[in-house]
Amino acid sequence: MLFGAVQATMIIYGLWAGERLRWRQTFGLIFAFGGLVGLLLPGLSAPPLHGSILMLAAGVAWGIYSLRGKGTGDPTRVTAGNFLRAVSFAAGLSLAMLPWGVLDVSGVWYAVSSGALASGVGYAIWYTALRGLKATSAATVQLSVPVIAAVGGIIFLNEPVTLRLLIAATAILGGIALVVVDNRQSRQTPNPSIQGGRAQARAADFRR
């Protein structure tokens, strides 16, 4: 539900802003999303309504956050500013929940590593990559996150490499490649009318 809300938010915005998917990009998006469903389907269960609403809201917020970061200047500075502004909310909530909480040294370090390092550095890199992607392409690229998480589980947690994981990862990454490569080719392919105009201008200059 989270990733579906992220993709839907970014793709709807991209289409509203005038972006259009070619047939190969559309096929790649469907292929990648199908791979995501295949990767997560065995562990899916019907979530409660309250949790579903919160998860959908988080997905929409994630999509909006990515879209807003597309036009930023310095990705590191912007990410650091966003995280600093979020500290006040996190600190207030932590203080309010302190009577019911138990501090654990390992948990604190895991939280710092997850938030400050993994999320902070990850969003700085993501903001940098967003400059060269359309909203629809960026939404498709985000489908690679579960694959990256699965690879991390294999490397750090000794999780098994299953056939389902290999097939789903191939479908997701292959679909992403269809979307991104087609998008880059469309930007690199010169417009025939522009080429013709330039040729005529060069011919006129030559005659002069």
Side-chain angles (χ1 to χ4, degrees):
M1 294 183 68
L2 174 68
F3 282 98
V6 174
Q7 268 66 58
T9 300
M10 298 183 70
I11 290 173
I12 290 172
Y13 173 81
L15 296 176
W16 176 79
E19 296 180 11
R20 292 295 178 268
L21 290 174
R22 299 186 176 188
W23 68 268
R24 191 166 71 175
Q25 290 178 299
T26 303
F27 177 77
L29 176 60
I30 296 173
F31 205 56
F33 199 81
L36 174 67
V37 173
L39 179 63
L40 303 178
L41 188 59
L44 289 180
S45 59
L49 178 61
H50 183 260
S52 300
I53 294 174
L54 291 176
M55 192 62 69
L56 289 174
V60 173
W62 188 357
I64 294 173
Y65 185 80
S66 296
L67 290 169
R68 287 180 61 84
K70 185 174 173 58
T72 57
D74 183 1
T76 304
R77 179 183 59 80
V78 172
T79 301
N82 291 337
F83 274 61
L84 285 174
R85 283 187 286 271
V87 165
S88 58
F89 296 99
L93 182 60
S94 298
L95 290 175
M97 299 298 295
L98 193 58
W100 298 276
V102 178
L103 290 179
D104 179 77
V105 176
S106 298
V108 171
W109 281 112
Y110 284 138
V112 171
S113 300
S114 174
L117 296 179
S119 297
V121 175
Y123 268 115
I125 296 173
W126 177 234
Y127 271 11
T128 303
L130 276 175
R131 296 174 178 175
L133 295 174
K134 293 182 178 180
T136 50
S137 299
T140 309
V141 170
Q142 282 196 325
L143 290 172
S144 64
V145 173
V147 178
I148 297 173
V151 172
I154 295 170
I155 296 174
F156 298 107
L157 302 177
N158 295 321
E159 293 184 355
V161 180
T162 63
L163 180 61
R164 177 174 61 86
L165 174 61
L166 293 176
I167 294 175
T170 301
I172 293 172
L173 298 179
I176 291 172
L178 286 175
V179 175
V180 176
V181 171
D182 188 85
N183 186 35
R184 289 180 178 176
Q185 288 179 348
S186 65
R187 290 201 305 266
Q188 294 173 356
T189 302
N191 190 320
S193 60
I194 295 177
Q195 267 197 328
R198 290 176 178 173
Q200 292 176 0
R202 285 196 296 268
D205 292 339
F206 179 77
R207 286 195 298 269
R208 286 198 294 267

